[in-house]
Amino acid sequence: LVDLKWRFSLLVFILAYAVTWLFFGLIWWFIAYCRGDLDHLEDHAWTPCVNNLNGFVSAFLFSIETETTIGYGHRVITDKCPEGIVLLLLQAILGSMVNAFMVGCMFVKISQPNKRAETLVFSSHAVVSLRDDRLCLMFRVGDLRDSHIVEASIRAKLIKSKQTQEGEFIPLDQTDLSVGFETGDDRLFLVSPLIISHEIDERSPFWDVARHQLEKDDFEIVVILEGMVEA
């Protein structure tokens, strides 16, 4: 439900309540019909299950009033109807579950970070260059919004095919690229655009790769930035 488009989510939201009201309204009408309440509408000595319930429409309205706890006071259940009391309990419990489920889905859908993620921008290109006399793979990340991201952390993975020494072929092998985990530089304070650096040393998967080989290799680097907005 959370991943549905808004028009389908709203349709499910409306149907969840409408179907519940109709279903219990039909049961309220059925109880009145089976007890003979509809045949004694003008008999003031008769005690119906629900006062002033004279058909399916009024049963449907009573179902809405019961589940939404509106209580206009015109239609009310009597204490001479044990099956109605049981149904009242069931509808109250099920109505609370429907409310919790649907409101929870709407809240999660509204708070999805899709729009927030669009304000996080990465540089179009990554470069390999000397930095402090060390060869580094670098790219830039920035936050366009005024509200800062709290406890932001970044990590990078190299994804490429690999042939093991035993001859096994791994099509999507994942290797971590160090972007400062040992020194704490992977925890960011994004008040301005930052340059993220991966030092190409003996532990780097690019250590044995020459420049001309790097240009022809087929691989992908996936960068993951995680954090919480201030709100």
Side-chain angles (χ1 to χ4, degrees), residues 2 8 37 84 120 133 161 165 167 193 214 227:
V2 172
F8 296 119
D37 293 345
L120 290 171
D133 204 27
S161 58
Q165 296 180 2
L214 190 66

Side-chain angles (χ1 to χ4, degrees), residues 46-106:
W46 178 267
T47 303
C49 184
V50 179
N51 288 331
N52 301 305
L53 194 151
N54 52 25
F56 176 74
V57 175
S58 59
F60 175 65
L61 292 175
F62 179 71
S63 174
I64 296 176
E65 295 168 19
T66 300
E67 192 164 325
T68 57
T69 65
I70 292 175
Y72 290 118
H74 183 62
R75 279 173 291 271
V76 60
I77 190 172
T78 61
D79 56 359
K80 304 296 184 183
C81 181
E83 60 270 30
I85 296 174
V86 173
L87 182 60
L88 178 66
L89 292 173
L90 289 176
Q91 187 170 5
I93 295 171
L94 184 62
S96 299
M97 294 173 62
V98 170
N99 286 335
F101 184 73
M102 296 311 301
V103 172
C105 285
M106 287 294 118

